[in-house]
């Protein structure tokens, strides 16, 4: 399912804005990816979309981050990917300290150097990112340093075949507010938390309900379903999952647990995909309960790819040698309805 078209970022709503103001319900920021014809293809591209997903990575190359990056470059070239998705915890241990933090170059620009990775990187924040200057990662200044970078708290990527909604899940997790474990979190724009969450969930529900995309994908840092160290995230199970199910979301993709895993929902078509193994992994750290729907689990470093066509999706997970660990195909009915 190699992609034969080239995608370009052609419109970003309010790309230069900061988000320090309290979040107010409204349409989420949207990024539109427009297919550019190549090799004689039509103006609508070739009907394929492919991207890589990596999470929990920013360690200045350590803990096999550089090896994962190298294999991402090779797989990205083979698949002719359109962009990369980051599931958060972009910079360890405590995010960026400012928009001038050299860790941005040391953990991102200088690590992901392969030609195929010189494309758009769409990122959400993880809980470790909130321990630093969270707003630094939203700064347009970072795009001046490295034009690949794009990060906002929550936003939507429209790419013809798919609509991908990036959701800021960290504020949903109550324990970060009740027990900071001696960490300082940057909650600017989040407080009052209840209003922030209410407005965010309302916007996500509205975007999904109005979406006419062939594939609906939601990306967040925290897992809805996981047998890894952190397990299921109670707040996401209670508040986000019902919205995803009601609107026929195809894939929920997350990081947070430092592993690779695939769990199929037992009462819907949704697939839960964890790609949080971009650097430090947790060997042997897995839960024994709630294993229904488990298709695959790997407690080492790696990443995943997702390739989409009008009719099917192909999921693949890779380790630090580029070995394919697990694949899965999902077929889309020809007459798809988003009831």
């Amino acid at each position: 399912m190699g992609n034969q078209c080239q995608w370009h970022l052609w419109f970003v709503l309010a790309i230069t804005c900061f988000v320090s103001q309290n979040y107010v319900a409204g349409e989420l920021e949207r990024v539109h990816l427009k297919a550019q014809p190549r090799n004689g293809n039509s103006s609508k591209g070739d009907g394929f979309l492919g991207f890589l997903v990596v999470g929990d990575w920013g360690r200045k190359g350590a803990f096999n981050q550089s090896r994962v990056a190298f294999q991402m470059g090779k797989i990205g070239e083979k698949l002719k990917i359109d962009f990369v998705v980051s599931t958060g915890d972009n910079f360890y241990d405590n995010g960026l300290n400012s928009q001038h933090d050299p860790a941005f170059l040391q953990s991102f620009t200088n690590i992901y150097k392969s030609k195929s990775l010189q494309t758009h990187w769409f990122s959400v924040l993880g809980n470790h990112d909130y321990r630093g200057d969270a707003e630094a990662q939203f700064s347009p200044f970072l795009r001046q340093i490295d034009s690949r970078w794009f990060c906002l708290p929550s936003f939507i990527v429209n790419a013809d075949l798919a609509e991908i909604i990036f959701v800021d899940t960290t504020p949903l997790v109550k324990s970060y507010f009740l027990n900071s474990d001696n960490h300082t979190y940057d909650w600017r724009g989040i407080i009052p938390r209840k209003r922030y969450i209410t407005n965010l969930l309302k916007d996500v529900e509205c975007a999904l309900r109005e979406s006419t995309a062939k594939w609906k994908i939601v990306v967040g840092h925290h897992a809805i379903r996981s047998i890894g160290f952190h397990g299921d995230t109670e707040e996401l199970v209670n508040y986000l999952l019902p919205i995803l199910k009601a609107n026929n979301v195809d894939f929920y993709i997350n990081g947070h647990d430092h592993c690779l895993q695939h769990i199929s929902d037992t009462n819907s078509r949704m697939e839960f995909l964890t790609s949080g193994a971009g650097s430090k992994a947790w060997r042997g750290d897995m839960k024994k309960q709630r294993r229904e729907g488990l298709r695959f689990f790997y407690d080492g470093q790696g990443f995943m790819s997702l390739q989409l066509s009008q009719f099917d999706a192909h999921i693949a997970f890779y380790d630090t040698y580029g070995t394919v660990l697990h694949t899965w195909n999902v077929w889309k009915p020809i007459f798809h309805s988003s009831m």
Side-chain angles (χ1 to χ4, degrees), residues 27 49 59 77 80 95 109 115 121 141 145 153 162 170 175 196 198 244 265-266 275 279 284 304 318:
E27 187 172 342
L49 180 70
R59 297 183 186 272
E77 181 178 3
K80 296 181 173 61
T109 301
K115 183 178 179 180
W121 281 64
F141 181 75
I145 299 174
T170 300
S175 62
Y196 182 90
T198 299
L244 306 191
D265 191 39
T266 55
S275 183
S279 58
M304 64 165 281
Y318 310 85

Side-chain angles (χ1 to χ4, degrees), residues 6-211:
Q6 187 176 12
W7 294 78
H8 290 278
L9 188 67
W10 68 278
F11 174 74
V12 178
L13 181 61
I15 189 172
T16 59
C17 76
F18 262 29
V19 288
S20 58
Q21 298 82 11
N22 285 335
Y23 183 73
V24 179
E27 187 172 342
L28 294 174
E29 315 288 357
R30 289 179 181 265
V31 176
H32 297 264
L33 295 180
K34 184 178 181 181
Q36 298 295 320
R38 191 172 69 182
N39 297 333
N41 288 339
S42 69
S43 60
K44 292 186 178 181
D46 60 357
F48 295 95
L49 180 70
F51 56 93
L52 302 182
V53 184
V54 66
D56 304 79
W57 42 267
R59 297 183 186 272
K60 302 177 183 178
F63 295 98
N64 281 339
Q65 183 192 0
S66 294
R67 291 184 63 175
V68 172
F70 178 74
Q71 294 299 336
M72 287 175 63
K74 293 178 66 175
I75 299 299
E77 181 178 3
K78 179 180 178 181
L79 301 183
K80 296 181 173 61
I81 60 167
D82 299 300
F83 52 87
V84 178
V85 165
S86 170
T87 58
D89 277 1
N90 306 316
F91 302 97
Y92 282 97
D93 276 326
N94 298 308
L96 297 178
N97 60 39
S98 75
Q99 63 184 9
H100 302 287
D101 192 333
F104 181 73
L105 289 172
Q106 295 164 349
S107 288
F108 177 60
T109 301
N110 296 344
I111 301 298
Y112 302 101
K113 298 182 292 186
S114 299
K115 183 178 179 180
S116 69
L117 304 182
Q118 305 309 304
T119 185
H120 313 301
W121 281 64
F122 298 115
S123 306
V124 290
L125 297 184
N127 53 297
H128 281 267
D129 297 309
Y130 268 102
R131 294 178 186 176
D133 180 351
E135 292 187 358
Q137 295 193 45
F138 312 145
S139 171
F141 181 75
L142 295 187
R143 287 185 57 81
Q144 296 177 25
I145 299 174
D146 193 322
S147 62
R148 296 177 292 172
W149 184 257
F150 186 89
C151 182
L152 287 175
S154 299
F155 61 99
I156 302 172
V157 172
N158 295 114
D160 285 1
L161 274 178
E163 193 157 82
I164 308 173
I165 301 181
F166 291 75
V167 180
D168 183 21
T169 60
T170 300
L172 274 73
V173 182
K174 194 173 183 179
S175 62
Y176 297 133
F177 295 82
L178 297 179
N179 180 18
S180 63
D181 197 23
N182 295 321
H183 296 296
T184 300
Y185 289 88
D186 181 5
W187 295 133
R188 286 176 295 170
I190 307 299
I191 304 299
R193 173 175 172 264
K194 183 176 180 179
R195 181 171 67 181
Y196 182 90
I197 293 172
T198 299
N199 290 338
L200 174 59
L201 293 175
K202 185 183 301 183
D203 286 349
V204 170
E205 182 175 24
C206 181
L208 287 171
R209 186 174 61 246
E210 295 178 355
S211 175

Side-chain angles (χ1 to χ4, degrees), residues 324-337:
V324 177
L325 303 173
H326 170 73
T327 63
W328 192 260
N329 289 310
V330 177
W331 300 94
K332 176 70 68 171
I334 296 177
F335 298 102
H336 174 64
S337 173

Side-chain angles (χ1 to χ4, degrees), residues 218-271:
V218 175
V219 175
H221 179 63
H222 296 79
I224 293 178
R225 286 291 321 280
S226 172
I227 66 164
F229 174 78
H230 294 106
D232 299 355
T233 307
E234 180 181 358
E235 293 87 348
L236 270 61
V237 172
N238 292 336
Y239 302 119
L240 182 60
L241 181 57
I243 295 173
L244 306 191
K245 285 188 174 182
N247 290 280
N248 297 321
V249 167
D250 298 287
F251 305 107
Y252 178 77
I253 304 175
N254 63 273
H256 197 44
D257 272 331
H258 294 192
C259 61
L260 303 172
Q261 64 180 322
H262 171 204
I263 299 175
S264 296
D265 191 39
T266 55
N267 54 19
S268 78
R269 293 175 53 88
M270 198 184 323
E271 307 290 337

